[in-house]
Amino acid sequence: MQLLLKRLVEQNRHYTKYGKVANYIPELGKMDPDKLGIVIVDTGGKIYRAGDYDLKFTLQSMSKPIVLLLALMDNGEETVFKKVGKEPTGDPFNSMRKLETLSPPKPLNPMINAGAITVTSLIKGKDSKEKFERILDMVRKISNNPRLNINMDVYLSEKKTGDRNRAIAYFLKDVGILEGDVEEALDLYFKQCSIEVTCEDIANIGMFLANQGIDRKTGKVIAPKYLTQIVKTFMVTCGMYDESGEFAINVGVPSKSGVSGGIISAVPNRMGIGVIGPALNAKGNSIAGVKLLMDLSRELKLSIF
Ligand code: GLN
């Protein structure tokens, strides 16, 4: 396995040249586009690492399935899905195009920014500090890494420049989907996106989802199985933005990408995979990371379909 991973990383590394790092969040623009790394954690607890696996990066949209899970645990399905839908959009992750045409005007799913900001606003807590602590605590628990924290530079950079998300959130407040304080919801969303991780952390998160919400080490149930199934289904239908259909055909594994170039994959009952490759394709997914997962899926027959 170790040798296979090493070979696949080197075989796909040249694809990084064809992508670009995200620079609409200025701090993300500083990432090294040539990097490519992967970690696999299997159900037996074996860990395999290759390439630039020790690179640090932020969760960005990979935080969306985790916060969705917490919001579902906090509020139940009915309350959450009154506010966000269950359908793919076919539009980019930060699109506002359809929002005004929908009736009711709720975001189509929780993996696009409009849906994710709405979901974040549903997290319970007595104040914004406690709400963020609950999100961070959940991420720490499911990544088996109690040391995780925010990358302040990335957080402040997005907070300063995130006007598109601000526009989306204020629109949602106007139509009654987002309730409460808009700036608080946005601040929480920017913070969850800025949690700093490595491939091993997100491979553990993938493993937790692959393991149906049960902590692999302690056997403790952290989240109900049926809620982890909902989250993984969204990862299949909407997890790779408007490239989710193609990814499902080529890789066939529930996955969620982020504009930092990370991808979390959960192969049900088999393994969690964490990939980093900051150079992105036109849809905002890691260009070499997707190719690497395609090869890996073929070699190990990972497709769930
Ligand atoms: N923080 C980013 C944003 O809202 C996350 C987007 C992403 O990873 N696709 O723009």
Side-chain angles (χ1 to χ4, degrees):
M1 179 76 116
Q2 196 66 62
L3 288 176
L4 170 73
L5 282 190
K6 200 168 174 239
R7 173 165 65 79
L8 295 185
V9 167
E10 292 326 316
Q11 188 170 303
N12 285 289
R13 196 182 280 280
H14 71 280
Y15 285 114
T16 58
K17 283 207 267 313
Y18 304 103
K20 280 202 191 89
V21 294
N23 56 11
Y24 74 101
I25 299 173
E27 264 309 298
L28 290 187
K30 295 183 182 164
M31 292 191 75
D32 182 348
D34 303 333
K35 302 280 186 193
L36 182 63
I38 184 167
V39 171
I40 291 184
V41 178
D42 70 16
T43 31
K46 285 215 182 71
I47 301 183
Y48 306 94
R49 307 169 176 94
D52 304 301
Y53 62 84
D54 53 0
L55 190 71
K56 286 193 170 138
F57 53 96
T58 49
L59 279 179
Q60 298 302 330
S61 282
M62 291 175 281
S63 64
K64 291 171 180 171
I66 306 165
V67 177
L68 172 64
L69 184 62
L70 188 59
L72 285 166
M73 289 165 73
D74 277 1
N75 303 277
E77 273 179 85
E78 208 187 308
T79 305
V80 172
F81 294 120
K82 231 187 253 162
K83 300 277 182 194
V84 284
K86 298 177 180 163
E87 304 304 334
T89 63
D91 290 332
F93 63 87
N94 57 2
S95 173
M96 307 187 260
R97 204 166 67 86
K98 290 206 177 92
L99 281 182
E100 217 183 349
T101 62
L102 297 165
S103 170
K106 62 182 192 183
L108 277 163
N109 69 67
M111 299 294 120
I112 53 170
N113 288 10
I117 296 167
T118 305
V119 166
T120 297
S121 76
L122 298 173
I123 294 299
K124 297 244 156 94
K126 69 173 188 307
D127 51 26
S128 53
K129 187 167 172 274
E130 187 177 291
K131 289 178 192 175
F132 180 65
E133 275 166 8
R134 293 191 60 242
I135 293 174
L136 184 60
D137 191 52
M138 180 75 169
V139 180
R140 285 175 172 168
K141 226 188 272 172
I142 68 179
S143 62
N144 294 320
N145 188 351
R147 292 177 310 279
L148 292 188
N149 230 318
I150 285 192
N151 177 320
M152 276 314 267
D153 294 334
V154 173
Y155 160 64
L156 292 172
S157 181
E158 183 167 15
K159 196 172 165 74
K160 200 165 156 193
T161 56
D163 290 329
R164 195 178 180 87
N165 285 327
R166 225 163 255 127
I168 290 172
Y170 276 100
F171 175 81
L172 292 170
K173 170 84 179 184
D174 179 63
V175 293
I177 291 292
L178 204 152
E179 293 173 68
D181 191 279
V182 183
E183 288 299 330
E184 181 188 286
L186 282 163
D187 190 60
L188 256 189
Y189 173 77
F190 295 146
K191 281 187 177 140
Q192 75 183 54
C193 287
S194 306
I195 295 172
E196 191 167 67
V197 290
T198 62
C199 283
E200 188 165 328
D201 298 323
I202 61 169
N204 277 322
I205 295 172
M207 180 66 239
F208 157 81
L209 291 170
N211 209 28
Q212 325 267 27
I214 298 169
D215 186 303
R216 180 180 52 77
K217 284 188 178 152
T218 61
K220 231 172 96 187
V221 178
I222 295 177
K225 178 177 168 181
Y226 78 102
L227 294 183
T228 65
Q229 285 171 325
I230 293 177
V231 167
K232 277 180 284 185
T233 310
F234 276 121
M235 288 165 78
V236 170
T237 57
C238 321
M240 303 298 285
Y241 316 129
D242 42 337
E243 197 178 22
S244 298
E246 195 174 334
F247 186 87
I249 290 170
N250 291 336
V251 181
V253 174
S255 299
K256 183 74 203 84
S257 59
V259 285
S260 51
I263 304 174
I264 297 179
S265 299
V267 189
N269 306 312
R270 279 182 72 180
M271 61 178 74
I273 308 171
V275 169
I276 182 65
L280 309 179
N281 64 21
K283 307 271 185 178
N285 294 317
S286 170
I287 192 161
V290 169
K291 297 279 188 195
L292 173 58
L293 285 168
M294 271 170 71
D295 283 350
L296 190 69
S297 178
R298 236 174 266 139
E299 294 268 357
L300 301 178
K301 303 200 175 14
L302 299 181
S303 176
I304 63 169
F305 301 109

